[in-house]
Amino acid sequence: TRYSEIVYLLISSMLFVDVEARDDFVSLYKTLCETSIPSPDLTLVPRIDENFDLSILNNPDYLPQDYVNDIENKIQIKLKKTANRAIEKYISKGNLYNGEINSKGEPHGFGSVWWATGDRYEGRFENGIYHGEGMYFFANGMKQYGNFLNGEITGLGVRYYADKGIYFGEWKNGKNHGTGMFIWPNGEKFLGQFKDDEIEGLGTLTWLSGRKIEAIWADKGTGIGLAQTPEFDITLPPMATNRTES
């Protein structure tokens, strides 16, 4: 189950004990040309908003701006509605919070926090921790939008990297994990599987020329099977050190 259908078919056809029953090279080449590699399973972790159409990831030409606009609008509406309950206070040295609080004085509900480092978070809190839809703006220019769980972005989300790269897809504990799409600054794209901030699993790499490589990938872009060559180094940009706990 780890490898694609085409690998299974080719190897199986070469393992017949009866030599006469085996495919010759012409038949193997025909099988290779006529058999398509299955697309990745694009079943994603659902967001809080279950009406959001997750099928957008099936279209590699889709850019996540609509998703980002949706989150921004929802958060701004919530911040305006709760403005009359907003409290401004320093939650720690140099870190300013403005928003709803609980009985212990912790950020709880909707609010914004400005870190002394220059980072900023706007969105929902639960007992002092980022929890729910939110937006995190890093001092280095990186931006992150999505659903936070216990202080870390989890589920569906978007990250705009400082070098203009974009990741849109599933997250787990603050890392790219699951099905997603990465767009490099030059417009080239990868749609497929990620694990712990690295490309790993079945996916499609698309060049600006339209050329595509569908393969099983691992180890920061060192391909397995159809892409086993240094030419296809598709390492993601380095992660920034983020502060996701208030």
Side-chain angles (χ1 to χ4, degrees):
T1 58
R2 177 172 179 176
Y3 298 98
S4 67
E5 179 185 2
I6 192 169
V7 176
Y8 174 81
L9 290 174
L10 288 173
I11 293 179
S12 297
S13 64
M14 290 186 287
L15 293 179
F16 288 118
V17 176
D18 184 355
V19 177
E20 297 299 323
R22 294 181 197 161
D23 286 343
D24 56 24
F25 287 112
V26 175
S27 298
L28 288 174
Y29 179 74
K30 185 177 180 182
T31 300
L32 181 64
C33 292
E34 294 181 352
T35 306
S36 61
I37 297 177
S39 299
D41 180 5
L42 296 179
T43 302
L44 303 183
V45 176
R47 289 173 56 221
I48 293 176
D49 180 5
E50 296 181 353
N51 296 321
F52 188 77
D53 185 7
L54 298 177
S55 65
I56 54 177
L57 275 183
N58 287 296
N59 178 7
D61 295 322
Y62 177 84
L63 291 177
Q65 193 58 50
D66 288 344
Y67 173 83
V68 169
N69 291 342
D70 179 55
I71 288 183
E72 284 183 327
N73 290 337
K74 286 182 178 179
I75 291 175
Q76 292 306 320
I77 289 172
K78 289 289 187 180
L79 289 175
K80 288 179 181 178
K81 285 184 176 180
T82 58
N84 62 329
R85 299 193 296 273
I87 301 296
E88 186 172 280
K89 59 178 295 185
Y90 284 94
I91 52 177
S92 56
K93 186 176 181 180
N95 302 318
L96 180 65
Y97 174 76
N98 184 283
E100 297 177 286
I101 61 174
N102 60 16
S103 59
K104 296 180 180 179
E106 300 169 326
H108 188 81
F110 282 86
S112 304
V113 61
W114 290 265
W115 295 101
T117 59
D119 291 0
R120 184 175 95 255
Y121 171 85
E122 295 182 9
R124 191 175 180 279
F125 293 79
E126 186 170 304
N127 299 322
I129 303 295
Y130 310 147
H131 194 91
E133 287 189 314
M135 309 179 293
Y136 198 103
F137 304 91
F138 295 82
N140 67 356
M142 191 165 72
K143 298 180 290 186
Q144 194 164 273
Y145 304 79
N147 189 62
F148 289 77
L149 179 66
N150 296 323
E152 297 285 1
I153 189 168
T154 299
L156 190 62
V158 176
R159 173 178 281 170
Y160 291 89
Y161 290 84
D163 68 355
K164 308 304 181 184
I166 303 171
Y167 173 80
F168 179 35
E170 290 180 296
W171 296 78
K172 183 179 180 181
N173 298 327
K175 294 183 177 182
N176 310 151
H177 193 96
T179 300
M181 176 171 62
F182 189 86
I183 306 172
W184 279 267
N186 66 1
E188 293 176 347
K189 303 169 186 176
F190 174 84
L191 175 62
Q193 301 299 309
F194 293 76
K195 182 179 180 180
D196 293 332
D197 277 337
E198 295 179 0
I199 289 173
E200 183 169 322
L202 185 62
T204 301
L205 178 62
T206 303
W207 280 265
L208 291 179
S209 63
R211 181 188 176 199
K212 296 183 179 182
I213 290 289
E214 296 179 277
I216 295 171
W217 307 81
D219 299 331
K220 295 185 179 180
T222 302
I224 295 176
L226 296 181
Q228 195 168 15
T229 164
E231 177 186 352
F232 305 120
D233 179 9
I234 51 177
T235 305
L236 298 182
M239 301 295 111
T241 301
N242 60 355
R243 299 165 58 90
T244 54
E245 293 187 3
S246 60

